[in-house]
């Protein structure tokens, strides 16, 4: 049997991958039983080798320039920015999560369509593998893998859209165009059933040639997200405890002080911390991540994204304290004496004693004057910062087609989610041993002192600490909107004017903001004010895409949207 990645490289995606030509315009296209480009099911499923090819096709995710998806680098980054960690140059992410969000939003529409494209592929596999002559134990394991993949997209659809169609079998065009929504609670129940079964069936690991396939650990991590979304804290703590005590994963320290930064570069997919990721293949399954991510000064990057200063301020100082309590922080020199993760995650300009982020032989600088590369006010939604996390110095050309990987689950998430769940379900159990096992292990990797139990004496103290740690440790990985929604804090986090780099009123300063009516607006601490956001209670859920409702009259719109 050929290795998984080799099969991915040579496989001709057909009926099992639902490779449709043209533009996908409605649920009928996405859920059609027999698309014109498909190989006949009657002639394909002849034995176990065919079933394996079909299984590998199920691991094909959106590639190339397809961004709006729950399992692509840009798709995860969009969700992070929607939750208040940054913005996108063309206003995509803000318009996904604001009082101005509408049912015709194209980005939201594609999250929906891409998810149902994947689900149709999985349902096709499940419908046919049961009839394929093959070993029963193998059939059961492969079906569990595909049900886990389906559960990933069903869970995200239900979390972000609420009541959604839940096809669990192949549909005719008529069925696809008339399917009704399933209540969120029922979608969650199906996801839980499938993931519990998968956690029982799937192995702890695979041989090297099968690396990248879903394990029981991945099924359990996804199950923990479901429990967190439902405030089922005890269940989340129990399932995450199983992942921890399995000993299958550990935080990556292979590269010393650079371990955190290198974890998100090419090769990080083989980290001992990786639980599940999407793996690319050179010249075959690539994406445009670097083209969008890189600053303009670096190899033709587009600097498409701007992290908010509100996120930058959340990173700790080298003494382990936040900027409000640190003895080494100076607001006139805000980028000095900060923690490793900030320097690994954000391109920062030269200011005060900080020389600016060095990337290969390039120094990032947003203070070189109007309309220069990366200038902090070059575009309305520029702010002087640029994401660095995930950038790889080995990528210096052909930014639009690189085989970077996408981490979807890693061990740091497990540790922080476990601490949160245990603190909410049984706060008395959070002792020094638990802190050392979880949040302190994470802080130790980036050379921050750990917490003593006396530093976090109450449940609320632990809650604040774990929420802050999640924001900086998991930044740009797609968790922020998930977190602010489930914590019920989106209305307070997303209703204000967001800021960028620090400016000055001194005409001789490199970060001079100008004078008079041409001066860049700043807050009371001289940080550039550049984007006002508003968020209303009905924005808890995305609107059901209007294009889908135009085809399927049975789809009901979420409250607050026309």
């Amino acid at each position: 049997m050929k290795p998984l990645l080799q099969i991915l490289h040579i496989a001709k995606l057909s009926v099992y991958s639902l490779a449709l030509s043209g533009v996908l315009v409605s649920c009928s296209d996405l859920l059609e039983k027999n698309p014109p480009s498909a190989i006949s099911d009657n002639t394909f499923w002849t034995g176990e080798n065919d079933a394996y090819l079909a299984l590998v096709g199920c691991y094909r995710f959106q590639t190339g320039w397809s961004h709006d998806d729950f399992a692509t680098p840009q798709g995860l980054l969009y969700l992070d920015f929607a939750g208040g960690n940054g913005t996108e140059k063309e206003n995509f992410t803000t318009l996904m999560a604001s009082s101005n969000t509408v049912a015709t939003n194209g980005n939201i529409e594609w999250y929906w369509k891409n998810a149902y494209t994947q689900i149709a592929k999985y349902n096709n596999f499940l419908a046919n593998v049961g009839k394929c002559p093959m070993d029963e134990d193998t059939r059961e394991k492969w079906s569990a893998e595909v049900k886990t993949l389906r559960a990933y997209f069903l869970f995200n659809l239900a979390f972000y859209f609420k009541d959604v169609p839940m096809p669990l079998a192949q549909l005719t065009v008529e069925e696809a165009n008339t399917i009704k929504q399933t209540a969120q609670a029922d979608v969650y129940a199906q996801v839980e059933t499938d993931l519990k079964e998968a956690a029982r069936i799937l192995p702890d690991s695979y041989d090297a040639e099968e690396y990248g396939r879903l394990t029981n650990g991945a099924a359990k991590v996804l199950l923990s997200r479901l429990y967190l979304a439902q405030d089922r804290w005890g269940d989340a703590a129990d399932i995450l405890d199983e992942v921890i005590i399995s000993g299958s994963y550990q935080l990556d320290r292979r590269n010393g002080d650079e371990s955190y930064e290198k974890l998100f570069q090419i090769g990080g997919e083989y980290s001992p911390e990786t639980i599940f990721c999407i793996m690319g293949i050179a010249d075959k399954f690539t994406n445009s991540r670097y083209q969008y991510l890189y600053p303009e000064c670096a190899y033709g990057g587009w600097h498409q994204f701007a992290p908010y200063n509100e996120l930058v301020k959340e990173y700790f100082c080298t003494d382990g304290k936040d900027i409000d309590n640190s003895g080494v922080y100076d607001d006139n020199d805000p980028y000095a004496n900060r923690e490793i993760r900030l320097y690994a995650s954000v391109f920062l300009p030269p200011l005060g004693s900080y020389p600016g982020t060095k990337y290969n032989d390039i120094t990032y600088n947003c203070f070189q004057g109007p309309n220069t590369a990366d200038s902090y006010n070059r575009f309305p939604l520029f702010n002087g910062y640029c994401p660095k996390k995930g950038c790889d110095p080995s990528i210096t050309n052909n930014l639009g087609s690189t085989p970077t990987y996408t981490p979807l689950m890693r061990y740091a998430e497990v540790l922080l989610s476990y601490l949160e769940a245990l603190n909410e379900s049984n706060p008395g159990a959070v002792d020094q041993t638990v802190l050392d096992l979880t949040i302190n292990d994470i802080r130790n990797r980036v050379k921050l002192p750990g917490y003593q139990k006396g530093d976090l004496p109450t449940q609320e103290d632990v809650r604040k600490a774990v929420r802050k740690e999640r924001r900086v440790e998991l930044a740009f990985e797609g968790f922020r909107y998930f977190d602010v929604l489930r914590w019920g804090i989106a209305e307070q986090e997303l209703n204000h004017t967001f800021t960028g780099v620090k400016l000055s009123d001194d005409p001789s300063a490199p970060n001079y903001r100008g004078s008079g009516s041409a001066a860049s607006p700043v807050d009371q601490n001289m940080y550039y004010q550049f984007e006002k956001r508003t968020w209303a209670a009905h924005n808890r859920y995305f609107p059901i895409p209007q294009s889908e409702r135009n085809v399927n009259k049975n789809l009901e719109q979420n409250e607050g949207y026309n």
Side-chain angles (χ1 to χ4, degrees), residues 7 57 69 100 186 188 250 252 312 338 392 405 444 482 553 560:
I7 293 290
D69 186 85
N100 295 319
D186 293 333
Y188 282 173
Q250 58 183 332
D252 192 337
V312 171
R338 302 296 293 277
D392 190 315
Y405 87 106
N444 174 267
F482 174 69
K553 305 304 181 183

Side-chain angles (χ1 to χ4, degrees), residues 348-367:
L348 303 168
L351 187 64
S353 67
Y354 183 71
T357 299
K358 187 75 176 293
Y359 193 73
N360 289 334
D361 59 347
I362 296 167
T363 297
Y364 177 80
N365 189 351
C366 66
F367 296 134

Side-chain angles (χ1 to χ4, degrees), residues 488-535:
I489 62 172
E491 200 157 5
Q492 69 189 58
E493 291 289 317
L494 303 178
N495 269 316
H496 60 87
T497 299
F498 287 87
T499 59
V501 291
K502 191 174 184 68
L503 301 179
S504 173
D505 280 327
D506 181 356
S508 66
N511 60 334
Y512 178 53
R513 71 185 182 104
S515 62
S517 61
S520 297
V522 293
D523 66 10
Q524 67 273 21
N525 296 313
M526 295 298 293
Y527 288 96
Y528 177 42
Q529 292 185 309
F530 79 109
E531 184 184 22
K532 180 176 175 58
R533 289 182 60 173
T534 59
W535 193 95

